[in-house]
Amino acid sequence: MSDLALAAELRHNTVVKIMDAEGTREQVARSILENGPSTAAVLSERLGITPAGIRRHTEALIDDGYLEAREPHSALIRGRGRPSKVFVLTDTGRQQFEHSYDDLAISALRFMAAKSGENLINDFAKARALEMEKKVSEKLTNSKEPEKTFAKFLSDEGYATTIHKMPVGQELCQHHCPVAHVAAEFPQICDAETEMFSRALGTHVQRLATIANGDGVCTTFVPALKKSTNRGNKK
């Protein structure tokens, strides 16, 4: 093989390795987006990548500002010993998967606020939440596992939601928020969503954290629900 051909092959192999690495890093980031904060061991098992490989990719993603390592949420800690750190997407990382028109939405809401004040923003937030409530109410009717049904609905809406059992209820974790940037400036969006959660599930829920407020995950505590065959029926 000539020196020119050898150099060309080396360049090709280097490009392929870079593309493969970028593809794997996207898989790692997407896995965290869809499943929530994850340890290196969990990512390794989930993706079939060696722990050493996971560490290389997470370190690169942290260096790029897409991930950060945090102490795990108390609900995820199991057993004794010091818990492993979990990797969560940063705001920059979430933007890589963002497909909303945040800038346009924020501009429109700013215009509404300037022309008509906060009341119109509140009305908009409530109307949006009501539309979501109408959609999920049909799914909740006669559901034997309303919390799981609700979590799946949120995931279908782009919120990448998981559910965790708690001693006296369940914890909904939304690992992605398609309107996070809008809600950061207009918290009425989050407030209206929380009220919708309570109405749809038929119990008072407690919002513990939000992505819009800088937290890694939107977390909502849902008390244990009473069995009902007509939960979710709304006007």
Side-chain angles (χ1 to χ4, degrees), residues 118-137:
E118 293 297 311
N119 288 337
L120 188 57
I121 303 298
N122 293 334
D123 290 343
F124 168 78
K126 291 177 180 179
R128 175 181 175 273
L130 184 60
E131 286 299 315
M132 293 179 68
E133 183 180 355
K134 288 179 179 177
K135 292 168 66 175
V136 74
S137 290

Side-chain angles (χ1 to χ4, degrees), residues 77-94:
I77 297 176
R78 299 286 186 273
R80 298 180 178 178
R82 185 175 181 180
S84 299
K85 295 227 174 178
V86 296
F87 298 101
V88 301
L89 282 176
T90 62
D91 190 52
T92 300
R94 274 188 291 270

Side-chain angles (χ1 to χ4, degrees), residues 26 29-30 32-33 61 64-67 88-103 106 158 175-182 184 211-212 214-216:
E26 182 179 348
R30 184 172 291 280
I32 294 171
L33 169 70
L61 288 165
D64 290 339
Y66 297 149
L67 290 186
V88 301
L89 282 176
T90 62
D91 190 52
T92 300
R94 274 188 291 270
Q95 287 179 17
Q96 305 309 304
F97 301 95
E98 198 64 73
H99 300 288
S100 61
Y101 297 96
D102 281 359
D103 291 342
I106 290 174
H175 307 289
H176 178 63
C177 177
V179 295
H181 297 128
V182 180
I211 292 172
D215 300 300

Side-chain angles (χ1 to χ4, degrees), residues 149-169:
T149 300
F150 193 70
K152 184 180 185 305
F153 164 76
L154 291 175
S155 290
D156 292 342
E157 292 292 306
Y159 289 86
T161 305
T162 58
I163 190 166
H164 305 282
K165 288 185 177 181
M166 302 289 286
V168 291

Side-chain angles (χ1 to χ4, degrees), residues 4 47 74 133 135 148 158 162 167-168 184 194 224 233:
L4 185 60
L47 298 175
S74 58
E133 183 180 355
K135 292 168 66 175
K148 290 185 178 180
T162 58
V168 291
T194 304
N233 286 331

Side-chain angles (χ1 to χ4, degrees), residues 109-123 186 188:
L109 289 175
R110 284 175 180 168
F111 179 83
M112 290 165 59
K115 292 294 183 180
S116 303
E118 293 297 311
N119 288 337
L120 188 57
I121 303 298
N122 293 334
D123 290 343
F186 298 97
Q188 297 96 321

